[in-house]
Amino acid sequence: QDLQKPIIGLSSTSGGGTSTSVPLTYVQAVIRAGGVPMILPITHDHELLKRMLDNIDALILTGGEDVDPLKWYGEEPLPALGGIAPRRDSFDVALARLAVERNIPLLGICRGHQVINVAFGGTLYQDIPSQVKDARVKHRQNAAANYGTHSIRIEQNSLLHQQIGTQHIAVNSFHHQAVKDVAPGFKVTATSVDGVVEAMEKTDSDQVYSVQFHPEGFIANDINTFLGIFEYLVKKAEQHERKKKQ
Ligand SMILES: N[C@@H](CCC(=O)NCCCC(=O)O)C(=O)O
């Protein structure tokens, strides 16, 4: 059949409960990669959630607030924990679990990377500087999103390696939390020199993957080094769309 451009769902943030929004950089990156962006507003209505997933061909969990440690990985909040968004946590975790259950291609970015890890049983460092021994890399950069400030090393033949074609590159960095215990069924595919997890993928799937950095920040500024991360998702979304039509 004639395939239309696949619809890529983007999890939104609620702006304190009075709005639903996604940074424009995610929208621009999806369009550049050949997809149609669709913002998914936060809801706890399971029927609404399912209808949203019926109408997308892939899902991106976007960046934002810290994840509630007590609710999602059983830790008391440390003084260095940042702002949390409980309603968003529940929404994002439900989206991640339903997407995997329904074989919908899934990409997590920054917070989204961390949400995928806790959604499937992993834990987080609540604050890298106060918790990671030898934390000697600045993970909250004071530089534009289109500029890479620290390097990462990528596992050979990982999805990320296939998507961007290199095993060593500088990335942007806007986070103070990180994956600690990797969720069962996932593997680490990139790290920074201080051992912080910078990318993961599901071991029994080729369409569930996540990155701690922000590839969209480069793409929206016409730097296409990381465009392959989004183009791969769009390709998987096209396959999902084709299967839905069969
Ligand atoms: N709160 C977490 C995740 C940080 C994060 O997602 N940063 C990006 C915010 C901008 C955006 O919405 O993309 C942490 O600090 O580790």
Side-chain angles (χ1 to χ4, degrees):
Q1 295 100 326
D2 286 342
L3 272 184
Q4 295 173 305
K5 286 186 174 184
I7 295 177
I8 314 297
L10 293 164
S11 68
S12 67
T13 183
S14 74
T18 60
S19 64
T20 188
S21 67
V22 162
L24 200 53
T25 48
Y26 294 93
V27 170
Q28 291 165 329
V30 165
I31 292 169
R32 178 76 56 84
V36 176
M38 179 185 285
I39 296 177
L40 304 180
I42 294 170
T43 179
H44 282 97
D45 181 317
H46 219 64
E47 283 317 303
L48 273 181
L49 255 174
K50 289 185 174 179
R51 289 293 292 136
M52 286 180 188
L53 290 166
D54 288 344
N55 289 283
I56 63 173
D57 301 304
L59 171 66
I60 296 175
L61 293 179
T62 63
E65 304 87 346
D66 287 1
V67 174
D68 178 352
L70 187 62
K71 171 79 184 277
W72 297 105
Y73 51 99
E75 288 187 10
E76 295 298 326
L78 295 175
L81 179 70
I84 62 172
R87 288 192 79 248
R88 187 182 183 192
D89 286 349
S90 303
F91 175 64
D92 286 354
V93 168
L95 277 180
R97 290 172 175 170
L98 281 169
V100 169
E101 185 184 299
R102 297 173 64 163
N103 288 316
I104 295 172
L106 172 62
L107 164 61
I109 295 176
C110 202
R111 169 194 159 91
H113 163 76
Q114 298 164 357
V115 164
I116 289 172
N117 193 52
V118 300
F120 293 98
T123 64
L124 303 180
Y125 288 109
Q126 295 185 42
D127 180 60
I128 297 167
S130 54
Q131 285 187 285
V132 175
K133 191 172 168 299
D134 293 339
R136 58 182 189 278
V137 171
K138 185 176 178 58
H139 286 279
R140 255 184 174 161
Q141 71 182 40
N142 299 110
N146 64 350
Y147 188 78
T149 56
H150 76 67
S151 66
I152 64 170
R153 189 193 159 280
I154 300 167
E155 290 301 312
Q156 193 169 21
N157 302 326
S158 63
L159 288 179
L160 183 57
H161 179 207
Q162 291 168 33
Q163 291 160 0
I164 64 172
T166 184
Q167 285 190 263
H168 194 262
I169 194 163
V171 295
N172 57 20
S173 197
F174 296 96
H175 64 107
H176 79 116
Q177 299 199 314
V179 165
K180 183 165 65 174
D181 300 308
V182 179
F186 283 77
K187 66 178 179 178
V188 174
T189 56
T191 53
S192 56
V193 295
D194 58 357
V196 166
V197 175
E198 291 284 340
M200 281 192 325
E201 63 187 64
K202 199 168 187 298
T203 51
D204 63 356
S205 167
D206 64 354
Q207 60 177 28
V208 181
Y209 56 107
S210 64
V211 290
Q212 183 63 72
F213 58 96
H214 286 271
E216 77 286 357
F218 294 90
I219 300 162
N221 288 281
D222 298 324
I223 301 169
N224 293 328
T225 314
F226 300 100
L227 183 58
I229 295 172
F230 285 83
E231 288 176 331
Y232 179 88
L233 188 74
V234 167
K235 187 182 74 173
K236 287 298 173 187
E238 285 169 347
Q239 292 169 8
H240 182 77
E241 182 191 9
R242 198 174 288 117
K243 282 182 196 147
K244 277 197 306 190
K245 288 187 164 41
Q246 283 168 357

